[in-house]
Amino acid sequence: INESFSNIFRLFTQLAEKDPGSYLDEDDIQRYHFIMYEKDIAHSRKDEAADYLSFLKSKFRKMYRERRTECPKEMLTYTQDLENSFHALKTLFTYGQDDITASVLERLFILGRVANFYPLLIASWLRFGKDKSQLDTILDVIETFIFRAYAIGGRRADTGQSRLYDLAFKVHVGASSYQETIAELRELVKEYCDDAKFRIALSSPEFYLAIDNTDQKYFFFEYEKFLRERNKEPLDMKLEEILKDNFTIEHIWPSDASQLNLSREKLAEHQLNKHRLGNLTLASRSWNSRWGNSPFHIKKGEYSRSVLRVQMELSSFTTWETSQIDQRERQLMEFAVNRWKY
């Protein structure tokens, strides 16, 4: 037991040194392990996990009184499994290979809102880690859930938590196969943010104000990647670069209408449409500072010279008003439904 806990604290120290900004502490990790490990739970895993140490102490004290000879073996099994979980989480955070797994993990941690999934991530890594294709698919569906339900759908932070905890336990003890795990995850995505709900959220007239700026940048980075792939062009930028202050979200029909010379009726129309997804794109901060408030007939030439495909494709439009925003919003929604499909 001492050896296992010595290894656990060594692993945690290595994790803290590698990722000093991590919000996880050793208590968090032990609680995540409890959620996926403990089988003798009478109530919900969520409720029992709130005071997991008291649960474990009571369990082992009772075992020591009633089945003393079995107690050391059970305690060793627990601590060794806990050590394996710490090792799995450290590997998740410090995964260094240049492959699909690394790409999905990067997107997951950038999106955030991963807390509900840590028990399932650890259990899946331990259970399916040797088959990268299976692991990558699980990670991909988790990313889809987070982006659809939390980032765009605006679901509460604890949405799906109890079912995700139960699934983590089933994966860890071998009660849920890979196919069953994927099916349940996809069912959760469908329940909390199916295509219809996803489209409604994407078509919000206040999309720019309602969705976190990082999530908007993430959306348009993925769209940029899609356009580059479609045009067989290399992607010479990374997501982490886009998320920095050097890039921003631009309103195509400018948010500030002072240079547009709009009539009262047109100004009212502009106010209703300016924050929609179809009126947004990605731009460098310097580009947006210089051209962001300009009328479209001026922007059009600058779009054609942009290094970003998400801007360059806008130069194909002759004018830019509500009908063009409608058209582009439909285009972006179709991309999103296919990119984050379940």
Side-chain angles (χ1 to χ4, degrees):
I1 290 172
N2 284 335
E3 182 180 350
S4 284
F5 272 98
S6 175
N7 290 334
I8 284 169
F9 284 113
R10 176 178 54 81
L11 289 165
F12 184 76
T13 300
Q14 291 172 352
L15 175 59
E17 291 172 350
K18 183 74 175 180
D19 185 18
S22 173
Y23 295 103
L24 294 178
D25 59 31
E26 59 267 34
D27 292 336
D28 291 324
I29 303 172
Q30 191 171 9
R31 185 173 66 255
Y32 295 143
H33 172 260
F34 172 87
I35 288 164
M36 69 181 214
Y37 174 86
E38 186 53 54
K39 60 182 180 296
D40 298 320
I41 290 180
H43 305 292
S44 74
R45 295 185 176 277
K46 175 182 176 181
D47 292 342
E48 298 289 12
D51 193 13
Y52 70 91
L53 278 177
S54 294
F55 185 103
L56 290 171
K57 289 176 182 178
S58 176
K59 171 185 173 177
F60 283 117
R61 284 171 180 155
K62 182 179 180 182
M63 181 180 294
Y64 185 72
R65 289 194 305 268
E66 298 176 359
R67 294 176 286 144
R68 184 167 300 190
T69 57
E70 298 177 26
C71 197
K73 181 180 178 181
E74 179 63 28
M75 292 174 73
L76 283 170
T77 299
Y78 170 80
T79 53
Q80 288 165 359
D81 200 79
L82 179 61
E83 180 184 343
N84 290 338
S85 296
F86 267 77
H87 189 274
L89 194 59
K90 174 181 175 284
T91 307
L92 278 163
F93 273 110
T94 61
Y95 188 81
Q97 298 184 41
D98 185 13
D99 57 13
I100 294 174
T101 305
S103 177
V104 184
L105 285 173
E106 178 193 28
R107 297 198 300 269
L108 277 177
F109 292 131
I110 283 174
L111 276 172
R113 310 167 179 93
V114 188
N116 292 339
F117 293 91
Y118 276 126
L120 180 58
L121 284 169
I122 297 168
S124 297
W125 195 274
L126 293 172
R127 177 86 181 283
F128 306 116
K130 291 182 179 179
D131 189 327
K132 283 297 185 65
S133 63
Q134 292 185 353
L135 181 65
D136 291 343
T137 303
I138 289 172
L139 294 175
D140 193 60
V141 180
I142 289 174
E143 182 214 355
T144 295
F145 183 105
I146 291 173
F147 189 72
R148 279 189 176 229
Y150 298 147
I152 302 300
R155 288 283 188 169
R156 285 175 32 176
D158 61 351
T159 295
Q161 187 179 76
S162 293
R163 289 171 64 181
L164 289 167
Y165 285 178
D166 289 341
L167 180 58
F169 169 74
K170 289 189 289 185
V171 168
H172 190 55
V173 301
S176 179
S177 67
Y178 164 72
Q179 290 81 5
E180 290 168 332
T181 302
I182 286 295
E184 187 158 351
L185 278 172
R186 286 172 173 158
E187 187 59 35
L188 282 168
V189 177
K190 181 179 179 181
E191 178 176 339
Y192 293 118
C193 196
D194 62 14
D195 287 352
K197 294 171 186 171
F198 195 34
R199 289 175 188 276
I200 289 172
L202 290 167
S203 62
S204 166
E206 301 297 326
F207 184 90
Y208 176 77
L209 301 177
I211 305 302
D212 185 85
N213 185 260
T214 295
D215 296 326
Q216 293 183 51
K217 288 184 179 181
Y218 173 66
F219 179 98
F220 283 107
F221 173 81
E222 289 296 310
Y223 186 56
E224 173 75 14
K225 185 164 66 173
F226 163 75
L227 294 176
R228 297 283 186 103
E229 290 171 353
R230 191 175 68 181
N231 287 279
K232 297 181 171 56
E233 296 174 356
L235 184 67
D236 54 359
M237 61 187 69
K238 294 184 177 180
L239 177 56
E240 60 185 17
E241 297 172 6
I242 298 297
L243 297 181
K244 293 178 181 178
D245 287 341
N246 293 337
F247 287 88
T248 186
I249 297 297
E250 184 221 347
H251 289 73
I252 303 164
W253 207 2
S255 178
D256 180 354
S258 58
Q259 297 184 35
L260 303 183
N261 195 28
L262 300 177
S263 66
R264 181 178 297 179
E265 292 77 12
K266 210 67 178 176
L267 185 60
E269 180 185 334
H270 168 268
Q271 291 297 312
L272 291 173
N273 289 278
K274 66 180 183 179
H275 291 319
R276 290 172 57 190
L277 172 62
N279 191 47
L280 305 176
T281 191
L282 191 66
S284 68
R285 186 167 293 278
S286 59
W287 192 102
N288 204 17
S289 296
R290 184 171 184 181
W291 306 108
N293 290 330
S294 301
F296 185 77
H297 70 271
I298 294 177
K299 284 186 175 184
K300 180 180 168 69
E302 300 303 321
Y303 285 145
S304 67
R305 291 185 282 273
S306 175
V307 298
L308 295 171
R309 273 279 170 188
V310 293
Q311 285 190 306
M312 194 185 303
E313 71 167 359
L314 295 168
S315 63
S316 63
F317 289 91
T318 304
T319 59
W320 192 264
E321 294 182 2
T322 303
S323 62
Q324 288 76 31
I325 293 173
D326 291 340
Q327 178 183 337
R328 187 161 181 271
E329 185 169 275
R330 289 191 296 269
Q331 177 182 329
L332 289 173
M333 281 198 292
E334 289 310 310
F335 156 74
V337 167
N338 284 288
R339 164 59 184 84
W340 290 281
K341 62 184 176 183
Y342 57 92

